[in-house]
Amino acid sequence: MAEKRPLTGDADGELVAIKKQLSATRHGAGLKVPLPEPSEAATLRIGIVRTCWHEELIELLVSKSINQMVSRGVKRENIVQAVVPGSYELPYITKRMLESEDVDVVICVGILLKGGTIHMEVIADAVTNQLMGLQMTHNIPVIFGVLTVMAIEQAVERAESELPHSWGDSALTMAMHKRKLRTVGDA
């Protein structure tokens, strides 16, 4: 009889490859996107819609995103923020911001934490679909900064990582594209 091998473990080639990729890719680290010149960044108007749940982590995520954009030339006075109770409310206020604040891009920031039911999955699906629809309808980019995590420790790890910086850089890139599509090879 042939010896039975476990389906997963150190001998599982796929699992080993996933672990290598995870250790090599830290949340948001190494993202290289085309960025505006500081003079162009200074003219961008950025919207941020953020939730109230897990306030200390949300504050860290938002402040790191803002600091990244400011370091690239965005003026603090050109960043407008709105606060909503939870992630389910993000699409409504994002829509209001897109329609009333003359923004070039909106970053939505929230944390959805898995509980004992499928509540997180239902909210995540609804919010994701609505935010995608808003950017397509309004022709203004929306950056998805909603963490969907199994444990609060995962949210802490992401908040302390480079991930919020990547949201800031992504917002600048997409705002630039909104104003004028940049293609590869453009000067």
Side-chain angles (χ1 to χ4, degrees), residues 46-50 62 65-66 69 79-83 97 103 105-109:
I46 312 293
I48 297 175
V49 183
R50 58 192 280 176
V62 170
S65 295
I66 289 172
M69 292 184 292
I79 300 172
V80 60
Q81 294 186 55
V83 179
M97 187 174 280
V103 292
V105 63
V106 174
I107 305 171
C108 293
V109 182

Side-chain angles (χ1 to χ4, degrees), residues 45 47 49 80 82 84 89-103 106 108 131 134 138 140 142:
R45 186 158 163 86
V49 183
V80 60
V84 299
E89 292 78 27
L90 286 169
Y92 177 73
I93 298 303
T94 299
K95 180 179 188 292
R96 295 285 314 273
M97 187 174 280
L98 292 171
E99 293 172 349
S100 66
E101 291 296 329
D102 193 31
V103 292
V106 174
C108 293
L131 292 177
L134 285 172
H138 291 275
I140 298 172
V142 175

Side-chain angles (χ1 to χ4, degrees), residues 42-168:
T43 68
L44 297 175
R45 186 158 163 86
I46 312 293
I48 297 175
V49 183
R50 58 192 280 176
T51 63
C52 290
W53 286 102
H54 312 290
E55 185 177 4
E56 288 180 11
L57 291 175
I58 294 296
E59 178 57 36
L60 181 57
L61 291 162
V62 170
S63 65
K64 288 174 85 170
S65 295
I66 289 172
N67 290 339
Q68 181 73 0
M69 292 184 292
V70 168
S71 77
R72 305 284 195 199
V74 173
K75 295 179 181 175
R76 283 192 188 274
E77 61 266 23
N78 288 350
I79 300 172
V80 60
Q81 294 186 55
V83 179
V84 299
S87 293
Y88 191 75
E89 292 78 27
L90 286 169
Y92 177 73
I93 298 303
T94 299
K95 180 179 188 292
R96 295 285 314 273
M97 187 174 280
L98 292 171
E99 293 172 349
S100 66
E101 291 296 329
D102 193 31
V103 292
D104 292 295
V105 63
V106 174
I107 305 171
C108 293
V109 182
I111 298 171
L112 287 168
L113 179 61
K114 177 69 176 155
T117 68
I118 63 167
H119 180 77
M120 187 258 291
E121 290 87 343
V122 171
I123 300 298
D125 183 60
V127 170
T128 302
N129 287 318
Q130 288 298 311
L131 292 177
M132 177 61 76
L134 285 172
Q135 73 176 343
M136 302 311 289
T137 300
H138 291 275
N139 202 30
I140 298 172
V142 175
I143 305 303
F144 189 77
V146 180
L147 303 180
T148 53
V149 295
M150 302 300 282
I152 197 67
E153 293 81 9
Q154 292 174 315
V156 170
E157 178 186 343
R158 285 156 179 80
E160 293 174 349
S161 75
E162 297 299 310
L163 184 61
H165 296 137
S166 73
W167 296 343

